[in-house]
Amino acid sequence: MLNKKYSIRTPAAIAILVADLLFPAEPLLIKNPDIGFGKIVFTLEDDLWLVSDRGGAASRLTSHPGLETFAKFSPDGRRIAFTAEYDGNRDVYVMPAEGGRPLRLTFHPKSDEVVEWLPDGKAVLFRSERTKLRNAFMVPAGGGPSLPYPFDRVRFASFSQDGRFAALNRNDSDRMHWNGYKGGDQQDLWLADLERLSFSRLTDYPGYDNRPMWMKDALFFASDRQDGRMNLYSLDLKDKTAKRITFFKDWDVVSPSAGGDKIVFV
């Protein structure tokens, strides 16, 4: 059940949907939500669930004993790509957005984790342990061979509306275990020009700048840069200045994800 939400208006006129996902009587651990086309998909009890972004009862999409997570709506909202652990190994799958039989897309013995759909909806971007640095690969959404993507390392990525640019994190810092860490393995935002195959750094804060989200002409991300708590910020791509959007003090913004004109997070 989605029983609490509110919106924050930003300078870019983007509605940020803050979803407090609770089941009756007790709070449960909601993980990795994604939003799009009036729906929110999320992981609970290692299964995928679907709920309206207006609230109401959530329906279970999967029931396999293995883990299902990192769900992402396709650009047209008709499919969901996700990572599942069905045969003792994490692979990339896709299924109809309303639920149904999953189609397995990767078959490598190393772990594959969904990052994002490519803007045209024809392929899924994922990162894989098949390389030491968990490089980026893409796989056709209808099935086919996995191919290296022009990124090297990738943890989170988001594409501009025209598909020419991508904002990404290259490093994989785990805040759950490294709360407050500042150092060389931290996450900065990078800009990739996919036509010129050029890369530039957008932020150089020594702490967490992660989960880039491209929405229209605005770039949002999560950071602990002001008071040690993860909050949402918008980034001006011209002068690279960051503006704080949320002001949570007791708990962090966790797993933000964008779709349409909304951002959802735990």
Side-chain angles (χ1 to χ4, degrees), residues 163-180:
R164 178 181 173 183
F165 298 97
L168 65 144
N169 289 124
R170 299 175 69 231
N171 288 351
D172 184 11
S173 299
D174 184 354
R175 183 174 169 82
M176 181 180 294
H177 300 101
W178 290 9
N179 190 358

Side-chain angles (χ1 to χ4, degrees), residues 110-170:
K110 293 291 187 179
S111 175
D112 297 329
E113 294 182 352
V114 170
V115 174
E116 185 57 277
W117 286 81
L118 297 192
D120 61 8
K122 295 180 180 180
V124 178
L125 177 70
F126 67 96
R127 68 184 193 129
S128 178
E129 289 183 346
R130 64 186 71 182
T131 58
K132 183 177 180 180
L133 297 177
R134 294 190 177 185
N135 290 50
F137 295 83
M138 63 179 182
V139 61
S146 300
L147 299 173
Y149 201 69
F151 305 156
D152 55 356
R153 292 174 291 166
V154 66
R155 181 59 185 94
F156 304 109
S158 180
F159 294 91
S160 61
Q161 194 167 18
D162 60 8
R164 178 181 173 183
F165 298 97
L168 65 144
N169 289 124
R170 299 175 69 231

